[in-house]
Amino acid sequence: MPASDDKKAGKRVRVTIIDVAAKAGVHVSTASRALSQRKDHRISASVVRKIERVAEQLGYRPNLLASGLRTQRTGSIGLVVPNLGDPLFAPIIASVQERAAQNGYVTYVASSDYKPDKLLSIIEIMSRQSVAGLVVASFDLQDPAADRCLELDIPTVAVLRDPCHPGLSSITMDDESGVREVVEHILDLGHRSIVYITAPLAASTARNRLAGFMAVAEREAAAGCRFDVIEADTYDIEEGERVMGRLIGSGLPWTAVICFNDLLAVGALVALKSAGIACPDQVSVTGVNNLPFVSLLSPSLTTLHNAGREIGLQGADLLMTLIENGDNAVRRVLLPSRLVRRDSAGPAPPTLAAAGPGRSDQGQRAVRRQRTRPSARGGVSGQHVGAGG
Amino acid sequence: MPASDDKKAGKRVRVTIIDVAAKAGVHVSTASRALSQRKDHRISASVVRKIERVAEQLGYRPNLLASGLRTQRTGSIGLVVPNLGDPLFAPIIASVQERAAQNGYVTYVASSDYKPDKLLSIIEIMSRQSVAGLVVASFDLQDPAADRCLELDIPTVAVLRDPCHPGLSSITMDDESGVREVVEHILDLGHRSIVYITAPLAASTARNRLAGFMAVAEREAAAGCRFDVIEADTYDIEEGERVMGRLIGSGLPWTAVICFNDLLAVGALVALKSAGIACPDQVSVTGVNNLPFVSLLSPSLTTLHNAGREIGLQGADLLMTLIENGDNAVRRVLLPSRLVRRDSAGPAPPTLAAAGPGRSDQGQRAVRRQRTRPSARGGVSGQHVGAGG
DNA sequence: ATGTCTTGCGCAAACGTTTGCTCTTGACAC
DNA sequence: GTGTCAAGAGCAAACGTTTGCGCAAGACAT
């Protein structure tokens, strides 16, 4: 009774279930059962009503720390992305958070800054917070962090980048066939000297997009086409400018540049503009991701639409089933990407185009097989793929 | 001993401080003190070393739920933004998370979707998770959620939008003088019929930017200038298109449009382009925020640079001192915004400009005082401010 | 009237920490 | 040789829940 008065007097003491039980004249276990979500609680309706009324009246707010401690399960999940500033991750963050919230979960977010050890330490920290599960968008291939998630027994879904770990489910885009479609499109436009700017090959996205590029390159080996690959060190606009700057000064022949992502492509456009090279009249540029603003640029960017929101929703959904059903089946979902044709990719300029007009032309240049699984990161950096002769 | 064996046998039992203490041959309280951060723990160095070694060896990971329950303080904070997809909030999320992590905190994020009741429920949920503090970027003016934060005794910092609550600290941009600078710039360019597209006036940002516009409008009342205000319903590009479309069809005279933010401005540019109106040759457009991509548009957007990252860093820093020092002094930090002159704002077209060339010209049009604190949201929607005669 | 079942609720342990207090021990001064 | 003190470590309570178990009382069949 006096304790109850303390609360009402505003002494800023958190009201617990003990207070509720006391005021309702029942045992705390009864109050707990009555307030529980599970409705198999063997408590008479009248008592439930009374307890609910008292709880409401006292402003009872359950302490989820205590609850989580007792039940070994919490209402929070973690989301790790490589870069919180990259607009690519905004829809993923938004959709994961949204879907988690719909299921009663709150979401921690953290940025790994593309560093595997930072990812490891984030996982460590989140595990100490007893997260119920993890959505990770920053796994490298063979990432030790993937093993760690399984060791720690944390339900985990990989999104966007697949570590290709036998025990982990993933939701990713079909990068390989996406980029293949881009290259086909560029070939259809008549281009015969094509450069692909890849990202560091630590991530599955980079490998798979490169594989898509190489697949077409190999097939067109005998068709008089030239394919080169340059490796960018980061993923941002500035790096796109730098790489394109190097390419312009390299003396390589090319009329089209396919970029790993939109940001590199935008940087490439900037570099082209300042070099006075017209896009798409002289050269074509494409990106990947279809970031919200690339349709507004001049020229508007031809790119692959990657459904970040869909990835986030499906990733969160999958995590929920992992958590709540204890379902351990490993799923690998591949979402289709869609080519968005805009202005930055146009017909190859006749004067600069390679040999003939048709794709089936005989050519003297062959594509040398590019290792798509090089052991070291810098494997293809600046390397010339389509060797002369 | 057998219990210890269980752990080593990989029975997936979480190793607790009890296990560590047992294996080290000390009492659990001793282990707790030895592993504690606070170094005033009266435990001999040799024992500390032994316990640390055992903890390492067993792979002990402290349970922060238990710790938080006992100590009434946790290592997590919450961050609420109105829209996780809006690029405006990316640097704020990134910087708050970064600074929080530096201080050993993990960060929950959630989106209020611009809905006050959703904000309230988020605060409720986060409070149940016992967050140590809150950074909120989605307060409305006089937001009841602000009261709630104080009732719940949660250290809270308002960023970007100031609820103007006497008990809450805030870190915001100096919106009023920023927009004033924009209007001055537009006037300097010779424009004499200016439209301001405001956002819904629930937020301090909208009020303050409108106040900046109105301040100049009043001052220039006698100078033959015309000032109109239109209210947008949301903050996105599509709404910018719609509003600009209405403006174009309205028959109002104007040569410059100052937009509440970049997204509306970009939408305005889109609408202008599809209406065949040239920017900046025929009309000028400005935004606010200097989003990363607006420098790349054609025309590049004249805007105010708002330092989202700085807001986040200062907001997080302030929250840390609130949490750790129990410091209750209310601070209101106003960060300066900076005009970024680009191509979307150019000289007023001579043929369309109002009366004379100079700003000091006498004019017959006066600006009617716009209520800057209307009671209802729709107060100025589509309203003509600078009345004729 | 006795026995079995079901319903409704109380009892108390447990989740994994932290921390005020107590106790022991050895150092030191008197 | 007794007393004081500080250092180092153990004891046990507490944080706020949840839940297996037990118990009482009523329903029902025998």
Side-chain angles (χ1 to χ4, degrees), chain A residues 34-55:
Chain A
L35 264 21
S36 154
Q37 307 301 329
R38 317 171 56 236
K39 281 312 165 199
D40 55 340
H41 50 31
R42 310 328 226 14
I43 306 288
S44 67
S46 63
V47 174
V48 169
R49 268 198 305 277
K50 183 203 290 178
I51 293 173
E52 284 174 343
R53 194 163 37 75
V54 171

PDB file of all heavy atoms in Angstrom, chain A residues 34-55:
ATOM      1  N   ALA A  34      -1.525 -13.710 -16.683  1.00  0.00           N
ATOM      2  CA  ALA A  34      -2.648 -12.934 -17.205  1.00  0.00           C
ATOM      3  C   ALA A  34      -2.196 -11.954 -18.284  1.00  0.00           C
ATOM      4  O   ALA A  34      -2.883 -11.754 -19.279  1.00  0.00           O
ATOM      5  CB  ALA A  34      -3.337 -12.181 -16.069  1.00  0.00           C
ATOM      6  N   LEU A  35      -1.020 -11.380 -18.062  1.00  0.00           N
ATOM      7  CA  LEU A  35      -0.520 -10.385 -19.012  1.00  0.00           C
ATOM      8  C   LEU A  35       0.213 -11.020 -20.191  1.00  0.00           C
ATOM      9  O   LEU A  35       0.593 -10.318 -21.134  1.00  0.00           O
ATOM     10  CB  LEU A  35       0.421  -9.423 -18.279  1.00  0.00           C
ATOM     11  CG  LEU A  35      -0.155  -8.099 -17.763  1.00  0.00           C
ATOM     12  CD1 LEU A  35      -1.663  -8.159 -17.605  1.00  0.00           C
ATOM     13  CD2 LEU A  35       0.497  -7.705 -16.449  1.00  0.00           C
ATOM     14  N   SER A  36       0.389 -12.312 -20.107  1.00  0.00           N
ATOM     15  CA  SER A  36       1.144 -12.978 -21.171  1.00  0.00           C
ATOM     16  C   SER A  36       0.371 -12.996 -22.479  1.00  0.00           C
ATOM     17  O   SER A  36      -0.849 -12.923 -22.521  1.00  0.00           O
ATOM     18  CB  SER A  36       1.478 -14.399 -20.727  1.00  0.00           C
ATOM     19  OG  SER A  36       1.655 -15.232 -21.846  1.00  0.00           O
ATOM     20  N   GLN A  37       1.109 -13.074 -23.582  1.00  0.00           N
ATOM     21  CA  GLN A  37       0.450 -13.142 -24.891  1.00  0.00           C
ATOM     22  C   GLN A  37      -0.234 -14.490 -25.071  1.00  0.00           C
ATOM     23  O   GLN A  37      -1.325 -14.578 -25.593  1.00  0.00           O
ATOM     24  CB  GLN A  37       1.478 -12.946 -26.013  1.00  0.00           C
ATOM     25  CG  GLN A  37       2.332 -11.705 -25.886  1.00  0.00           C
ATOM     26  CD  GLN A  37       1.497 -10.442 -25.864  1.00  0.00           C
ATOM     27  OE1 GLN A  37       0.436 -10.378 -26.478  1.00  0.00           O
ATOM     28  NE2 GLN A  37       1.948  -9.432 -25.123  1.00  0.00           N
ATOM     29  N   ARG A  38       0.460 -15.511 -24.658  1.00  0.00           N
ATOM     30  CA  ARG A  38      -0.063 -16.851 -24.839  1.00  0.00           C
ATOM     31  C   ARG A  38      -1.382 -16.976 -24.081  1.00  0.00           C
ATOM     32  O   ARG A  38      -1.477 -16.638 -22.911  1.00  0.00           O
ATOM     33  CB  ARG A  38       0.939 -17.874 -24.320  1.00  0.00           C
ATOM     34  CG  ARG A  38       2.349 -17.555 -24.719  1.00  0.00           C
ATOM     35  CD  ARG A  38       3.382 -18.448 -24.036  1.00  0.00           C
ATOM     36  NE  ARG A  38       3.134 -19.848 -24.259  1.00  0.00           N
ATOM     37  CZ  ARG A  38       2.974 -20.734 -23.278  1.00  0.00           C
ATOM     38  NH1 ARG A  38       3.033 -20.346 -22.019  1.00  0.00           N
ATOM     39  NH2 ARG A  38       2.752 -21.992 -23.547  1.00  0.00           N
ATOM     40  N   LYS A  39      -2.384 -17.455 -24.761  1.00  0.00           N
ATOM     41  CA  LYS A  39      -3.710 -17.428 -24.152  1.00  0.00           C
ATOM     42  C   LYS A  39      -4.121 -18.774 -23.549  1.00  0.00           C
ATOM     43  O   LYS A  39      -5.291 -19.042 -23.304  1.00  0.00           O
ATOM     44  CB  LYS A  39      -4.741 -16.974 -25.193  1.00  0.00           C
ATOM     45  CG  LYS A  39      -4.741 -15.453 -25.391  1.00  0.00           C
ATOM     46  CD  LYS A  39      -4.768 -14.714 -24.040  1.00  0.00           C
ATOM     47  CE  LYS A  39      -4.412 -13.236 -24.184  1.00  0.00           C
ATOM     48  NZ  LYS A  39      -4.008 -12.616 -22.907  1.00  0.00           N
ATOM     49  N   ASP A  40      -3.132 -19.618 -23.276  1.00  0.00           N
ATOM     50  CA  ASP A  40      -3.452 -20.909 -22.659  1.00  0.00           C
ATOM     51  C   ASP A  40      -3.129 -20.834 -21.169  1.00  0.00           C
ATOM     52  O   ASP A  40      -2.580 -21.750 -20.585  1.00  0.00           O
ATOM     53  CB  ASP A  40      -2.636 -22.024 -23.305  1.00  0.00           C
ATOM     54  CG  ASP A  40      -1.149 -21.712 -23.260  1.00  0.00           C
ATOM     55  OD1 ASP A  40      -0.791 -20.530 -23.089  1.00  0.00           O
ATOM     56  OD2 ASP A  40      -0.342 -22.650 -23.392  1.00  0.00           O
ATOM     57  N   HIS A  41      -3.448 -19.704 -20.585  1.00  0.00           N
ATOM     58  CA  HIS A  41      -2.899 -19.449 -19.262  1.00  0.00           C
ATOM     59  C   HIS A  41      -3.826 -19.790 -18.094  1.00  0.00           C
ATOM     60  O   HIS A  41      -3.675 -19.260 -17.035  1.00  0.00           O
ATOM     61  CB  HIS A  41      -2.457 -18.013 -19.138  1.00  0.00           C
ATOM     62  CG  HIS A  41      -3.520 -17.033 -19.580  1.00  0.00           C
ATOM     63  ND1 HIS A  41      -4.851 -17.265 -19.468  1.00  0.00           N
ATOM     64  CD2 HIS A  41      -3.420 -15.829 -20.166  1.00  0.00           C
ATOM     65  CE1 HIS A  41      -5.524 -16.240 -19.948  1.00  0.00           C
ATOM     66  NE2 HIS A  41      -4.680 -15.370 -20.391  1.00  0.00           N
ATOM     67  N   ARG A  42      -4.803 -20.580 -18.258  1.00  0.00           N
ATOM     68  CA  ARG A  42      -5.548 -21.068 -17.107  1.00  0.00           C
ATOM     69  C   ARG A  42      -5.884 -19.999 -16.064  1.00  0.00           C
ATOM     70  O   ARG A  42      -5.807 -20.264 -14.860  1.00  0.00           O
ATOM     71  CB  ARG A  42      -4.794 -22.193 -16.391  1.00  0.00           C
ATOM     72  CG  ARG A  42      -4.281 -23.307 -17.217  1.00  0.00           C
ATOM     73  CD  ARG A  42      -5.159 -23.555 -18.360  1.00  0.00           C
ATOM     74  NE  ARG A  42      -5.577 -24.867 -18.749  1.00  0.00           N
ATOM     75  CZ  ARG A  42      -5.526 -26.017 -18.125  1.00  0.00           C
ATOM     76  NH1 ARG A  42      -5.027 -26.118 -16.941  1.00  0.00           N
ATOM     77  NH2 ARG A  42      -6.006 -27.101 -18.664  1.00  0.00           N
ATOM     78  N   ILE A  43      -6.167 -18.811 -16.483  1.00  0.00           N
ATOM     79  CA  ILE A  43      -6.567 -17.778 -15.518  1.00  0.00           C
ATOM     80  C   ILE A  43      -7.986 -17.346 -15.883  1.00  0.00           C
ATOM     81  O   ILE A  43      -8.278 -17.140 -17.056  1.00  0.00           O
ATOM     82  CB  ILE A  43      -5.632 -16.556 -15.579  1.00  0.00           C
ATOM     83  CG1 ILE A  43      -4.162 -16.970 -15.416  1.00  0.00           C
ATOM     84  CG2 ILE A  43      -6.018 -15.540 -14.517  1.00  0.00           C
ATOM     85  CD1 ILE A  43      -3.791 -17.401 -14.030  1.00  0.00           C
ATOM     86  N   SER A  44      -8.821 -17.225 -14.907  1.00  0.00           N
ATOM     87  CA  SER A  44     -10.221 -16.902 -15.198  1.00  0.00           C
ATOM     88  C   SER A  44     -10.336 -15.511 -15.819  1.00  0.00           C
ATOM     89  O   SER A  44      -9.559 -14.603 -15.527  1.00  0.00           O
ATOM     90  CB  SER A  44     -11.052 -16.962 -13.926  1.00  0.00           C
ATOM     91  OG  SER A  44     -10.666 -15.935 -13.057  1.00  0.00           O
ATOM     92  N   ALA A  45     -11.288 -15.364 -16.671  1.00  0.00           N
ATOM     93  CA  ALA A  45     -11.444 -14.126 -17.436  1.00  0.00           C
ATOM     94  C   ALA A  45     -11.577 -12.920 -16.526  1.00  0.00           C
ATOM     95  O   ALA A  45     -11.036 -11.850 -16.809  1.00  0.00           O
ATOM     96  CB  ALA A  45     -12.660 -14.236 -18.354  1.00  0.00           C
ATOM     97  N   SER A  46     -12.289 -13.088 -15.439  1.00  0.00           N
ATOM     98  CA  SER A  46     -12.517 -11.936 -14.561  1.00  0.00           C
ATOM     99  C   SER A  46     -11.201 -11.476 -13.937  1.00  0.00           C
ATOM    100  O   SER A  46     -10.929 -10.276 -13.839  1.00  0.00           O
ATOM    101  CB  SER A  46     -13.532 -12.292 -13.474  1.00  0.00           C
ATOM    102  OG  SER A  46     -13.000 -13.320 -12.652  1.00  0.00           O
ATOM    103  N   VAL A  47     -10.382 -12.431 -13.527  1.00  0.00           N
ATOM    104  CA  VAL A  47      -9.097 -12.062 -12.937  1.00  0.00           C
ATOM    105  C   VAL A  47      -8.197 -11.401 -13.986  1.00  0.00           C
ATOM    106  O   VAL A  47      -7.526 -10.403 -13.693  1.00  0.00           O
ATOM    107  CB  VAL A  47      -8.407 -13.311 -12.353  1.00  0.00           C
ATOM    108  CG1 VAL A  47      -7.006 -12.974 -11.874  1.00  0.00           C
ATOM    109  CG2 VAL A  47      -9.235 -13.877 -11.210  1.00  0.00           C
ATOM    110  N   VAL A  48      -8.227 -11.927 -15.182  1.00  0.00           N
ATOM    111  CA  VAL A  48      -7.434 -11.320 -16.251  1.00  0.00           C
ATOM    112  C   VAL A  48      -7.840  -9.868 -16.438  1.00  0.00           C
ATOM    113  O   VAL A  48      -6.999  -8.973 -16.498  1.00  0.00           O
ATOM    114  CB  VAL A  48      -7.625 -12.097 -17.574  1.00  0.00           C
ATOM    115  CG1 VAL A  48      -7.032 -11.317 -18.739  1.00  0.00           C
ATOM    116  CG2 VAL A  48      -6.985 -13.470 -17.481  1.00  0.00           C
ATOM    117  N   ARG A  49      -9.143  -9.659 -16.485  1.00  0.00           N
ATOM    118  CA  ARG A  49      -9.619  -8.285 -16.685  1.00  0.00           C
ATOM    119  C   ARG A  49      -9.147  -7.374 -15.569  1.00  0.00           C
ATOM    120  O   ARG A  49      -8.674  -6.264 -15.808  1.00  0.00           O
ATOM    121  CB  ARG A  49     -11.148  -8.271 -16.780  1.00  0.00           C
ATOM    122  CG  ARG A  49     -11.671  -8.394 -18.208  1.00  0.00           C
ATOM    123  CD  ARG A  49     -13.110  -7.939 -18.300  1.00  0.00           C
ATOM    124  NE  ARG A  49     -13.975  -8.643 -17.364  1.00  0.00           N
ATOM    125  CZ  ARG A  49     -14.515  -9.848 -17.587  1.00  0.00           C
ATOM    126  NH1 ARG A  49     -14.257 -10.474 -18.720  1.00  0.00           N
ATOM    127  NH2 ARG A  49     -15.286 -10.421 -16.677  1.00  0.00           N
ATOM    128  N   LYS A  50      -9.275  -7.865 -14.353  1.00  0.00           N
ATOM    129  CA  LYS A  50      -8.867  -7.034 -13.225  1.00  0.00           C
ATOM    130  C   LYS A  50      -7.385  -6.671 -13.311  1.00  0.00           C
ATOM    131  O   LYS A  50      -6.991  -5.519 -13.143  1.00  0.00           O
ATOM    132  CB  LYS A  50      -9.142  -7.768 -11.907  1.00  0.00           C
ATOM    133  CG  LYS A  50      -8.804  -6.918 -10.694  1.00  0.00           C
ATOM    134  CD  LYS A  50      -8.525  -7.750  -9.461  1.00  0.00           C
ATOM    135  CE  LYS A  50      -9.817  -8.395  -8.953  1.00  0.00           C
ATOM    136  NZ  LYS A  50      -9.545  -9.245  -7.764  1.00  0.00           N
ATOM    137  N   ILE A  51      -6.585  -7.679 -13.609  1.00  0.00           N
ATOM    138  CA  ILE A  51      -5.137  -7.439 -13.680  1.00  0.00           C
ATOM    139  C   ILE A  51      -4.797  -6.478 -14.804  1.00  0.00           C
ATOM    140  O   ILE A  51      -3.995  -5.560 -14.650  1.00  0.00           O
ATOM    141  CB  ILE A  51      -4.382  -8.774 -13.866  1.00  0.00           C
ATOM    142  CG1 ILE A  51      -4.536  -9.626 -12.601  1.00  0.00           C
ATOM    143  CG2 ILE A  51      -2.913  -8.534 -14.169  1.00  0.00           C
ATOM    144  CD1 ILE A  51      -3.975 -11.019 -12.713  1.00  0.00           C
ATOM    145  N   GLU A  52      -5.456  -6.654 -15.940  1.00  0.00           N
ATOM    146  CA  GLU A  52      -5.199  -5.751 -17.055  1.00  0.00           C
ATOM    147  C   GLU A  52      -5.576  -4.321 -16.694  1.00  0.00           C
ATOM    148  O   GLU A  52      -4.874  -3.374 -17.036  1.00  0.00           O
ATOM    149  CB  GLU A  52      -5.986  -6.211 -18.291  1.00  0.00           C
ATOM    150  CG  GLU A  52      -5.370  -7.426 -18.979  1.00  0.00           C
ATOM    151  CD  GLU A  52      -6.217  -7.963 -20.116  1.00  0.00           C
ATOM    152  OE1 GLU A  52      -7.421  -7.616 -20.189  1.00  0.00           O
ATOM    153  OE2 GLU A  52      -5.673  -8.737 -20.920  1.00  0.00           O
ATOM    154  N   ARG A  53      -6.668  -4.203 -15.993  1.00  0.00           N
ATOM    155  CA  ARG A  53      -7.111  -2.867 -15.610  1.00  0.00           C
ATOM    156  C   ARG A  53      -6.100  -2.216 -14.664  1.00  0.00           C
ATOM    157  O   ARG A  53      -5.708  -1.057 -14.836  1.00  0.00           O
ATOM    158  CB  ARG A  53      -8.495  -2.963 -14.953  1.00  0.00           C
ATOM    159  CG  ARG A  53      -9.203  -1.639 -14.814  1.00  0.00           C
ATOM    160  CD  ARG A  53     -10.707  -1.835 -14.557  1.00  0.00           C
ATOM    161  NE  ARG A  53     -10.994  -2.989 -13.710  1.00  0.00           N
ATOM    162  CZ  ARG A  53     -10.800  -3.025 -12.394  1.00  0.00           C
ATOM    163  NH1 ARG A  53     -10.311  -1.973 -11.779  1.00  0.00           N
ATOM    164  NH2 ARG A  53     -11.087  -4.111 -11.701  1.00  0.00           N
ATOM    165  N   VAL A  54      -5.657  -2.983 -13.702  1.00  0.00           N
ATOM    166  CA  VAL A  54      -4.676  -2.449 -12.746  1.00  0.00           C
ATOM    167  C   VAL A  54      -3.371  -2.078 -13.461  1.00  0.00           C
ATOM    168  O   VAL A  54      -2.783  -1.028 -13.199  1.00  0.00           O
ATOM    169  CB  VAL A  54      -4.403  -3.478 -11.632  1.00  0.00           C
ATOM    170  CG1 VAL A  54      -3.245  -3.022 -10.765  1.00  0.00           C
ATOM    171  CG2 VAL A  54      -5.647  -3.683 -10.796  1.00  0.00           C
ATOM    172  N   ALA A  55      -2.962  -2.950 -14.369  1.00  0.00           N
ATOM    173  CA  ALA A  55      -1.713  -2.693 -15.097  1.00  0.00           C
ATOM    174  C   ALA A  55      -1.816  -1.384 -15.868  1.00  0.00           C
ATOM    175  O   ALA A  55      -0.931  -0.524 -15.815  1.00  0.00           O
ATOM    176  CB  ALA A  55      -1.415  -3.845 -16.055  1.00  0.00           C
TER     177      ALA A  55
END
